[in-house]
Amino acid sequence: MIVRASMLAAMLAQIGAQPATAQPVPEGVHRPGTGRPTLCGSTARTVAALQAELAGRLPPLAGSDRYIAFEDAPNLRIWTFTTAAHPAHPAVACRTLIQRSDGGFEVGTEIYCFSGRENCDGVYREFEELNAQVRREMERVNAPPGRAQ
């Protein structure tokens, strides 16, 4: 399926991206890590336990020194975990590609972060930038013939 392959390729290409420039992050857009991480219908005792559970059933995607990611292709979802090299560690993001009724795409993102507000805002901004890149790529790849974007 073009949508799945393109989404995964676009998300994979961005795994090692550098942090976005600082922009204000509204209150409530990401959850501070308290208690059990719960994202995209999955719950675990810790971020590490969630990562181990997903690693046992999902194929890994190429990572970087800052991230490791797993592909949940049937759900058009990428799970991304920070490594100890990332200032927001431990944090996890669940990103799901959603096709809108107008044919465009959105990337639904849930982030659970156990670091301080500044670091969690930083990881949120990184994923917002990546999501915008994925949306643009999906719309370009899936544009009707003769209507390249």
Side-chain angles (χ1 to χ4, degrees):
M1 176 179 202
I2 289 176
V3 171
R4 180 172 296 142
S6 298
M7 181 236 14
L8 296 177
M11 285 182 168
L12 176 59
Q14 301 303 324
I15 292 294
Q18 293 302 308
T21 57
Q23 298 172 11
V25 175
E27 289 292 328
V29 297
H30 54 72
R31 290 177 286 183
T34 56
R36 296 174 179 261
T38 302
L39 297 115
C40 295
S42 293
T43 300
R45 189 174 35 84
T46 64
V47 171
L50 179 59
Q51 182 175 342
E53 187 268 320
L54 293 173
R57 64 180 177 87
L58 298 176
L61 295 174
S64 72
D65 64 329
R66 296 164 38 92
Y67 293 104
I68 185 166
F70 300 94
E71 171 188 9
D72 181 0
N75 293 307
L76 295 176
R77 185 171 288 153
I78 302 289
W79 289 89
T80 307
F81 295 84
T82 58
T83 67
H86 195 290
H89 186 70
V92 56
C94 174
R95 301 165 65 210
T96 305
L97 187 67
I98 303 162
Q99 187 166 15
R100 299 185 313 248
S101 60
D102 67 0
F105 293 90
E106 292 297 323
V107 181
T109 303
E110 296 180 37
I111 299 172
Y112 205 82
C113 182
F114 279 87
S115 190
R117 172 70 193 248
E118 185 176 321
N119 291 334
C120 292
D121 284 358
V123 80
Y124 168 81
R125 284 189 297 270
E126 287 180 54
F127 281 109
E128 283 299 294
E129 184 177 304
L130 297 176
N131 292 348
Q133 292 172 15
V134 168
R135 280 190 300 274
R136 286 191 300 271
E137 177 64 12
M138 291 303 303
E139 289 169 1
R140 183 191 67 77
V141 167
N142 291 294
R147 200 183 130 225
Q149 298 192 4

